[in-house]
Structure formats: C-alpha cells, structure tokens
Amino acid sequence: MSLIIYGTQYGTSKNYAEKLAAIMGAAAVDYRKLPRNIDEPEVVFVGALYAGRMTGLKKVLQVLEPEKHRLTLVTVGMTDPAHPTLLTELQQPLRKKIAEKQLELRGIYHLQGAVNYETLALKHKMLIKPMLLVFKKKKPEKLDAQAQMMLQAFEKTSPAVIDFVAFAEKIQN
C-alpha cells in the first residue's frame, strides 16, 4: 500500500497528488498534516519545485525511516520534462538529501506545473517579473533553455496534458 504526500504552493501539486491517489487507491495527505508514524512502506511525495527546493521535503524526510520506507519523488515545476539535462541539475540536491537520510529512493520524476501570474504571491511576483522582462527583451535564440521554459510557462495558463493512469503505472513499477 502507498501513501501520497504533497507539498504545494499554488495547488498544482495537490491536484496532481489527488489524481494519483484516486488512480492508485491511496490516500493523499498535505505534508503539514502528516502523522508522526507512517505505516505504508511505499511513499510518493509530490512537491512543488522552486529554486532547487521541494515544498515540504524537509518535513517528509524527518518522518520517514530508512528501514521502513521507500520513497518516490515527483517534482512539479516550470521545467519541461523533455529536458533531462536541466532536470538532472535540479534533482541532484534532492538525491543528496535523500542519500544523507539513507532512504531507498525508488525514482525521481517530474511533471510540468501550471503558472498563473495573477495568482502568485507578491514576493513571487517581485522575484519573477524582473526576470521575465529581461527575458522578453532578448531574442529567443539568446536565451538558455531554463529562461525559454520560464517564458513559455508564464505565457500559457495550463500545463501539458498528463496521462495520470500511465504515470501512476510508471511510478508503481
């Protein structure tokens, strides 16, 4: 049996976790409401990825036990899953934290999130707006892959369509 835990900023990770939970017949729990003792050996953590950090991962790692739990991470962020090089760079610090905890990591997967500039908190708007303005002034061929993805993420209001049934099968195997 699996437990799905999520850490979200604006709701996308929660939405994805609830979809996976429904397909997998598992419970979905907000990391802030996590019990001290988790009985399920298989844990899937779906978390928002911002600047190399996953929302709630620190608390999740405090609760999991190396002898008892196996962890699968699902990061949710602006990076396109089709760019494995960027994902590898983003996932390295996460792998390190899990190795330090001596947990078995079943895998790290990435799903592209949705971004609606209008719903962002003021602190996030203040960080992102100047970057977007700089990126928009440059020719597309002068932007690196991450900058291009940020621009694309803010130009559309919904992420790519995800086949959650196929994704659930993938992370369970």
Side-chain angles (χ1 to χ4, degrees):
M1 192 69 169
S2 295
L3 175 66
I4 299 178
I5 304 167
Y6 62 88
T8 192
Q9 289 280 328
Y10 295 102
T12 304
S13 296
K14 177 183 179 187
N15 181 22
Y16 289 177
E18 288 174 345
K19 286 179 182 181
L20 287 172
I23 293 164
M24 295 168 62
V29 178
D30 187 316
Y31 81 95
R32 294 169 290 200
K33 297 178 182 175
L34 202 55
R36 286 227 175 261
N37 187 19
I38 296 174
D39 294 328
E40 295 85 354
E42 301 293 330
V43 176
V44 177
F45 180 58
V46 181
L49 186 63
Y50 290 97
R53 291 189 166 141
M54 278 183 85
T55 302
L57 180 61
K58 183 177 179 180
K59 184 170 182 186
V60 170
L61 291 178
Q62 289 173 350
V63 176
L64 298 182
E65 301 172 35
E67 318 78 42
K68 187 176 176 183
H69 299 107
R70 295 173 12 145
L71 179 64
T72 300
L73 288 183
V74 180
T75 59
V76 178
M78 289 187 280
T79 303
D80 185 342
H83 289 319
T85 306
L86 288 174
L87 289 175
T88 300
E89 290 172 15
L90 292 170
Q91 293 169 350
Q92 282 302 91
L94 303 174
R95 288 183 187 280
K96 184 179 177 185
K97 285 181 183 180
I98 293 161
E100 288 169 0
K101 178 71 177 176
Q102 298 180 342
L103 278 168
E104 180 180 343
L105 179 62
R106 293 195 63 222
I108 298 181
Y109 303 91
H110 181 76
L111 298 174
Q112 193 164 17
V115 182
N116 182 344
Y117 184 79
E118 299 307 315
T119 63
L120 291 179
L122 181 60
K123 67 180 180 178
H124 292 140
K125 285 181 180 180
M126 290 175 63
L127 287 170
I128 292 170
K129 189 170 186 172
M131 283 191 299
L132 293 176
L133 291 173
V134 169
F135 296 160
K136 286 180 180 182
K137 289 179 182 177
K138 292 184 178 182
K139 294 181 180 181
E141 60 272 8
K142 296 284 185 184
L143 296 173
D144 66 16
Q146 190 66 37
Q148 290 174 5
M149 279 182 248
M150 281 187 69
L151 276 175
Q152 290 171 355
F154 280 93
E155 289 172 357
K156 46 183 182 170
T157 56
S158 61
V161 176
I162 299 167
D163 180 346
F164 282 97
V165 172
F167 186 70
E169 288 175 11
K170 182 178 180 178
I171 65 173
Q172 286 178 309
N173 292 329

